[in-house]
Amino acid sequence: MTDKWVFCLVLFISLLHGPVSVHASEEGILQPMAGDVKNGVADSADQSKKRQVFHNFNWHSLSIRGTFSSLDVLGDEAPEEFRQYDIAANVRLPWGWSLISDWGVSMRLMASIGMLSNSKEKALAVSLIPLVVFGSRDGRFSLDMGAGGAALSEHGFGAQEFGGPFQFALTTGVSIPLYKKYSLGYRFLHYSDAGINGSDTIGADLHMIELIYRF
């Protein structure tokens, strides 16, 4: 009875995964047929190409960020207090200028995705911001600033109205080495619709701590 249950279980699993072509060798061990080997090689080649594309993409860093304060710096005083927690990726752009010794100016593209919230409402926040970066050639020390755009899944937060799902995003940040490929950074991030949705809209100022991993 146990053998029958095992056989039924094996048959059921094989039906779920579809038929697999195999043949028995002289030693009686089941091995994949030539077609399966070719398919396996092709799959391996596809995976290798995907990995190659990932590595050829000129990654600079990944970071985890969290707000520790929303003290107003730009624009009107915000009636709500905001927090944002997200992850960000920095990609090197093909422009740069050497200045003195191992220091220079370069360009990066920063993309982030995370959650923006006040005490009650939450929204998905996605941003894409080009950066001008001054720093060391190895990327351990850096000071950057940039302007780009952000999209919010919600734009009304209690007593505060952002004005619309699209926001202009201004940022500046600084990072210092922490341990090997890890760095610690501070980032200021400002959201605003620049008045395109009326004069009653108010953005947000976020002061964030970053834990950065450099590639």
Side-chain angles (χ1 to χ4, degrees), residues 61-66 86-88 175-176 178-179 181-186 208-214:
S61 60
L62 288 174
S63 63
I64 300 174
R65 314 189 303 192
D86 60 22
I87 57 175
S175 69
I176 58 174
L178 187 63
Y179 176 73
K181 290 189 175 184
Y182 292 92
S183 298
L184 187 65
Y186 160 79
M208 311 177 81
I209 290 291
E210 290 187 280
L211 179 60
I212 304 165
Y213 175 80
R214 292 174 289 101

mmCIF file of all heavy atoms in Angstrom, residues 61-66 86-88 175-176 178-179 181-186 208-214:
data_model
loop_
_atom_site.group_PDB
_atom_site.id
_atom_site.type_symbol
_atom_site.label_atom_id
_atom_site.label_comp_id
_atom_site.label_asym_id
_atom_site.label_seq_id
_atom_site.Cartn_x
_atom_site.Cartn_y
_atom_site.Cartn_z
ATOM 1 N N SER A 61 25.693 52.161 -6.187
ATOM 2 C CA SER A 61 25.350 51.803 -4.809
ATOM 3 C C SER A 61 23.871 51.487 -4.662
ATOM 4 O O SER A 61 23.040 51.869 -5.494
ATOM 5 C CB SER A 61 25.721 52.945 -3.860
ATOM 6 O OG SER A 61 25.019 54.125 -4.206
ATOM 7 N N LEU A 62 23.560 50.798 -3.580
ATOM 8 C CA LEU A 62 22.196 50.589 -3.101
ATOM 9 C C LEU A 62 22.132 51.104 -1.672
ATOM 10 O O LEU A 62 23.103 50.989 -0.923
ATOM 11 C CB LEU A 62 21.817 49.107 -3.134
ATOM 12 C CG LEU A 62 21.579 48.465 -4.499
ATOM 13 C CD1 LEU A 62 21.353 46.968 -4.328
ATOM 14 C CD2 LEU A 62 20.375 49.093 -5.195
ATOM 15 N N SER A 63 20.984 51.648 -1.284
ATOM 16 C CA SER A 63 20.880 52.183 0.071
ATOM 17 C C SER A 63 19.488 51.958 0.648
ATOM 18 O O SER A 63 18.493 51.871 -0.078
ATOM 19 C CB SER A 63 21.215 53.677 0.104
ATOM 20 O OG SER A 63 20.299 54.422 -0.672
ATOM 21 N N ILE A 64 19.451 51.849 1.964
ATOM 22 C CA ILE A 64 18.209 51.826 2.730
ATOM 23 C C ILE A 64 18.114 53.159 3.457
ATOM 24 O O ILE A 64 19.084 53.592 4.094
ATOM 25 C CB ILE A 64 18.203 50.671 3.744
ATOM 26 C CG1 ILE A 64 18.354 49.337 3.015
ATOM 27 C CG2 ILE A 64 16.919 50.677 4.569
ATOM 28 C CD1 ILE A 64 18.504 48.159 3.962
ATOM 29 N N ARG A 65 16.951 53.820 3.365
ATOM 30 C CA ARG A 65 16.833 55.175 3.900
ATOM 31 C C ARG A 65 15.612 55.295 4.822
ATOM 32 O O ARG A 65 14.591 54.659 4.591
ATOM 33 C CB ARG A 65 16.702 56.198 2.758
ATOM 34 C CG ARG A 65 17.707 55.968 1.645
ATOM 35 C CD ARG A 65 17.727 57.070 0.629
ATOM 36 N NE ARG A 65 16.446 57.322 0.002
ATOM 37 C CZ ARG A 65 16.281 58.085 -1.079
ATOM 38 N NH1 ARG A 65 17.344 58.653 -1.634
ATOM 39 N NH2 ARG A 65 15.093 58.275 -1.600
ATOM 40 N N GLY A 66 15.755 56.112 5.837
ATOM 41 C CA GLY A 66 14.650 56.352 6.743
ATOM 42 C C GLY A 66 14.665 57.776 7.259
ATOM 43 O O GLY A 66 15.734 58.345 7.526
ATOM 44 N N ASP A 86 12.454 53.910 2.431
ATOM 45 C CA ASP A 86 12.556 53.411 1.063
ATOM 46 C C ASP A 86 13.908 52.773 0.802
ATOM 47 O O ASP A 86 14.781 52.727 1.683
ATOM 48 C CB ASP A 86 12.297 54.540 0.061
ATOM 49 C CG ASP A 86 13.278 55.708 0.185
ATOM 50 O OD1 ASP A 86 14.385 55.504 0.729
ATOM 51 O OD2 ASP A 86 12.943 56.819 -0.250
ATOM 52 N N ILE A 87 14.050 52.265 -0.398
ATOM 53 C CA ILE A 87 15.333 51.787 -0.897
ATOM 54 C C ILE A 87 15.664 52.596 -2.149
ATOM 55 O O ILE A 87 14.763 53.015 -2.878
ATOM 56 C CB ILE A 87 15.320 50.276 -1.213
ATOM 57 C CG1 ILE A 87 14.221 49.944 -2.238
ATOM 58 C CG2 ILE A 87 15.141 49.466 0.058
ATOM 59 C CD1 ILE A 87 14.243 48.493 -2.684
ATOM 60 N N ALA A 88 16.943 52.845 -2.362
ATOM 61 C CA ALA A 88 17.373 53.665 -3.496
ATOM 62 C C ALA A 88 18.558 53.006 -4.191
ATOM 63 O O ALA A 88 19.389 52.363 -3.554
ATOM 64 C CB ALA A 88 17.745 55.070 -3.033
ATOM 65 N N SER A 175 27.852 61.568 2.100
ATOM 66 C CA SER A 175 28.144 60.238 2.639
ATOM 67 C C SER A 175 29.604 60.131 3.042
ATOM 68 O O SER A 175 30.476 60.774 2.437
ATOM 69 C CB SER A 175 27.804 59.148 1.624
ATOM 70 O OG SER A 175 28.698 59.174 0.522
ATOM 71 N N ILE A 176 29.852 59.326 4.065
ATOM 72 C CA ILE A 176 31.208 59.073 4.552
ATOM 73 C C ILE A 176 31.392 57.571 4.721
ATOM 74 O O ILE A 176 30.413 56.836 4.943
ATOM 75 C CB ILE A 176 31.475 59.789 5.897
ATOM 76 C CG1 ILE A 176 30.453 59.335 6.954
ATOM 77 C CG2 ILE A 176 31.422 61.295 5.723
ATOM 78 C CD1 ILE A 176 30.720 59.876 8.338
ATOM 79 N N LEU A 178 31.969 53.918 6.211
ATOM 80 C CA LEU A 178 31.638 53.320 7.493
ATOM 81 C C LEU A 178 32.479 52.082 7.746
ATOM 82 O O LEU A 178 33.203 51.989 8.734
ATOM 83 C CB LEU A 178 30.143 52.971 7.522
ATOM 84 C CG LEU A 178 29.574 52.494 8.855
ATOM 85 C CD1 LEU A 178 29.686 53.582 9.911
ATOM 86 C CD2 LEU A 178 28.104 52.080 8.674
ATOM 87 N N TYR A 179 32.410 51.107 6.820
ATOM 88 C CA TYR A 179 33.180 49.871 6.957
ATOM 89 C C TYR A 179 33.260 49.202 5.596
ATOM 90 O O TYR A 179 32.234 48.855 5.010
ATOM 91 C CB TYR A 179 32.524 48.934 7.970
ATOM 92 C CG TYR A 179 33.199 47.586 8.102
ATOM 93 C CD1 TYR A 179 34.426 47.463 8.738
ATOM 94 C CD2 TYR A 179 32.604 46.444 7.572
ATOM 95 C CE1 TYR A 179 35.046 46.233 8.855
ATOM 96 C CE2 TYR A 179 33.220 45.206 7.687
ATOM 97 C CZ TYR A 179 34.439 45.099 8.331
ATOM 98 O OH TYR A 179 35.051 43.877 8.438
ATOM 99 N N LYS A 181 32.847 48.337 2.153
ATOM 100 C CA LYS A 181 32.010 48.874 1.089
ATOM 101 C C LYS A 181 30.763 49.586 1.606
ATOM 102 O O LYS A 181 29.909 50.000 0.826
ATOM 103 C CB LYS A 181 31.601 47.764 0.120
ATOM 104 C CG LYS A 181 32.743 47.236 -0.723
ATOM 105 C CD LYS A 181 32.237 46.313 -1.812
ATOM 106 C CE LYS A 181 33.370 45.878 -2.734
ATOM 107 N NZ LYS A 181 32.862 45.050 -3.862
ATOM 108 N N TYR A 182 30.649 49.721 2.914
ATOM 109 C CA TYR A 182 29.482 50.366 3.499
ATOM 110 C C TYR A 182 29.786 51.819 3.854
ATOM 111 O O TYR A 182 30.879 52.145 4.313
ATOM 112 C CB TYR A 182 29.020 49.610 4.752
ATOM 113 C CG TYR A 182 28.461 48.249 4.445
ATOM 114 C CD1 TYR A 182 29.292 47.129 4.468
ATOM 115 C CD2 TYR A 182 27.116 48.079 4.118
ATOM 116 C CE1 TYR A 182 28.789 45.863 4.175
ATOM 117 C CE2 TYR A 182 26.608 46.819 3.834
ATOM 118 C CZ TYR A 182 27.446 45.724 3.865
ATOM 119 O OH TYR A 182 26.943 44.472 3.572
ATOM 120 N N SER A 183 28.789 52.665 3.635
ATOM 121 C CA SER A 183 28.904 54.081 3.976
ATOM 122 C C SER A 183 27.658 54.521 4.728
ATOM 123 O O SER A 183 26.604 53.879 4.658
ATOM 124 C CB SER A 183 29.065 54.938 2.713
ATOM 125 O OG SER A 183 30.249 54.613 2.018
ATOM 126 N N LEU A 184 27.803 55.637 5.425
ATOM 127 C CA LEU A 184 26.685 56.225 6.149
ATOM 128 C C LEU A 184 26.441 57.604 5.566
ATOM 129 O O LEU A 184 27.384 58.366 5.312
ATOM 130 C CB LEU A 184 27.011 56.333 7.642
ATOM 131 C CG LEU A 184 25.874 56.780 8.560
ATOM 132 C CD1 LEU A 184 24.756 55.743 8.579
ATOM 133 C CD2 LEU A 184 26.406 57.012 9.977
ATOM 134 N N GLY A 185 25.170 57.925 5.330
ATOM 135 C CA GLY A 185 24.883 59.201 4.693
ATOM 136 C C GLY A 185 23.698 59.931 5.285
ATOM 137 O O GLY A 185 22.877 59.352 6.008
ATOM 138 N N TYR A 186 23.657 61.214 4.989
ATOM 139 C CA TYR A 186 22.504 62.063 5.305
ATOM 140 C C TYR A 186 21.924 62.567 3.999
ATOM 141 O O TYR A 186 22.673 62.945 3.080
ATOM 142 C CB TYR A 186 22.912 63.262 6.164
ATOM 143 C CG TYR A 186 21.901 64.397 6.114
ATOM 144 C CD1 TYR A 186 20.723 64.336 6.866
ATOM 145 C CD2 TYR A 186 22.118 65.503 5.291
ATOM 146 C CE1 TYR A 186 19.784 65.362 6.797
ATOM 147 C CE2 TYR A 186 21.187 66.533 5.229
ATOM 148 C CZ TYR A 186 20.024 66.449 5.973
ATOM 149 O OH TYR A 186 19.100 67.461 5.895
ATOM 150 N N MET A 208 16.810 62.459 6.095
ATOM 151 C CA MET A 208 16.921 61.005 6.086
ATOM 152 C C MET A 208 18.341 60.534 6.396
ATOM 153 O O MET A 208 19.323 61.193 6.027
ATOM 154 C CB MET A 208 16.479 60.438 4.733
ATOM 155 C CG MET A 208 15.149 60.977 4.231
ATOM 156 S SD MET A 208 14.702 60.358 2.591
ATOM 157 C CE MET A 208 14.042 58.751 3.032
ATOM 158 N N ILE A 209 18.414 59.389 7.048
ATOM 159 C CA ILE A 209 19.678 58.687 7.248
ATOM 160 C C ILE A 209 19.745 57.555 6.233
ATOM 161 O O ILE A 209 18.764 56.840 6.009
ATOM 162 C CB ILE A 209 19.785 58.116 8.683
ATOM 163 C CG1 ILE A 209 19.958 59.254 9.684
ATOM 164 C CG2 ILE A 209 20.943 57.134 8.796
ATOM 165 C CD1 ILE A 209 21.300 59.956 9.597
ATOM 166 N N GLU A 210 20.913 57.379 5.612
ATOM 167 C CA GLU A 210 21.109 56.336 4.612
ATOM 168 C C GLU A 210 22.186 55.351 5.043
ATOM 169 O O GLU A 210 23.261 55.760 5.505
ATOM 170 C CB GLU A 210 21.566 56.950 3.282
ATOM 171 C CG GLU A 210 20.536 57.750 2.548
ATOM 172 C CD GLU A 210 21.047 58.158 1.174
ATOM 173 O OE1 GLU A 210 21.821 59.138 1.100
ATOM 174 O OE2 GLU A 210 20.687 57.519 0.178
ATOM 175 N N LEU A 211 21.898 54.070 4.884
ATOM 176 C CA LEU A 211 22.916 53.039 4.981
ATOM 177 C C LEU A 211 23.207 52.577 3.563
ATOM 178 O O LEU A 211 22.317 52.064 2.877
ATOM 179 C CB LEU A 211 22.450 51.870 5.850
ATOM 180 C CG LEU A 211 23.446 50.711 6.000
ATOM 181 C CD1 LEU A 211 24.747 51.184 6.641
ATOM 182 C CD2 LEU A 211 22.838 49.565 6.787
ATOM 183 N N ILE A 212 24.443 52.779 3.112
ATOM 184 C CA ILE A 212 24.774 52.638 1.690
ATOM 185 C C ILE A 212 25.743 51.473 1.496
ATOM 186 O O ILE A 212 26.726 51.345 2.235
ATOM 187 C CB ILE A 212 25.420 53.931 1.172
ATOM 188 C CG1 ILE A 212 24.495 55.128 1.438
ATOM 189 C CG2 ILE A 212 25.742 53.824 -0.325
ATOM 190 C CD1 ILE A 212 25.187 56.475 1.300
ATOM 191 N N TYR A 213 25.468 50.670 0.475
ATOM 192 C CA TYR A 213 26.403 49.632 0.033
ATOM 193 C C TYR A 213 26.910 50.003 -1.350
ATOM 194 O O TYR A 213 26.141 50.162 -2.297
ATOM 195 C CB TYR A 213 25.728 48.258 -0.003
ATOM 196 C CG TYR A 213 26.630 47.185 -0.559
ATOM 197 C CD1 TYR A 213 27.600 46.590 0.236
ATOM 198 C CD2 TYR A 213 26.529 46.776 -1.908
ATOM 199 C CE1 TYR A 213 28.436 45.614 -0.265
ATOM 200 C CE2 TYR A 213 27.369 45.813 -2.417
ATOM 201 C CZ TYR A 213 28.322 45.224 -1.588
ATOM 202 O OH TYR A 213 29.152 44.260 -2.117
ATOM 203 N N ARG A 214 28.229 50.142 -1.481
ATOM 204 C CA ARG A 214 28.838 50.511 -2.770
ATOM 205 C C ARG A 214 29.337 49.263 -3.491
ATOM 206 O O ARG A 214 29.943 48.383 -2.904
ATOM 207 C CB ARG A 214 30.026 51.465 -2.548
ATOM 208 C CG ARG A 214 29.632 52.837 -2.024
ATOM 209 C CD ARG A 214 30.855 53.670 -1.688
ATOM 210 N NE ARG A 214 31.549 53.185 -0.497
ATOM 211 C CZ ARG A 214 32.647 52.454 -0.509
ATOM 212 N NH1 ARG A 214 33.210 52.130 -1.668
ATOM 213 N NH2 ARG A 214 33.209 52.051 0.614
#
